[in-house]
Amino acid sequence: KHIKTNNPAAAIKSKAGFNYVKRHKRTEFIPALTSYKDGCIYSEIYKKSGPAAVSSFGYMNSIVSIPGNAGEIHAEELVDAYLL
């Protein structure tokens, strides 16, 4: 299902549908596919996705923000998703 928001620049909270390990202490923005299913909003990243992965741009409809102080993101954790 499509997710609608009045302010597309605002972040929405979504559950991570992925596990992600950061290698740097800076904030990262990962291309993602955000959708509504089973009563929750989920964001999933392309299996070979990363902040510089151009191959995932055809797959995404959002960008997930991974904070600089987060070492790992586990499935079902809340993350900020920015819809595009």
Side-chain angles (χ1 to χ4, degrees):
K1 291 184 178 181
H2 292 288
I3 302 167
K4 294 182 181 179
T5 179
N6 292 333
N7 184 356
I12 60 171
K13 293 291 183 187
S14 68
K15 289 186 177 184
F18 58 90
N19 293 306
Y20 188 78
V21 178
K22 284 183 48 189
R23 291 173 176 68
H24 305 284
K25 294 187 179 187
R26 64 178 183 259
T27 299
E28 293 182 5
F29 296 93
I30 310 296
L33 177 64
T34 299
S35 59
Y36 183 82
K37 61 182 176 184
D38 300 327
C40 294
I41 298 173
Y42 284 91
S43 291
E44 299 181 24
I45 60 174
Y46 188 62
K47 57 186 164 188
K48 294 183 179 180
S49 192
V54 175
S55 62
S56 59
F57 282 107
Y59 168 80
M60 69 175 201
N61 66 357
S62 62
I63 294 183
V64 172
S65 173
I66 310 293
N69 60 354
E72 295 182 25
I73 298 294
H74 300 284
E76 301 291 319
E77 281 187 49
L78 288 178
V79 294
D80 287 334
Y82 297 88
L83 299 178
L84 301 175

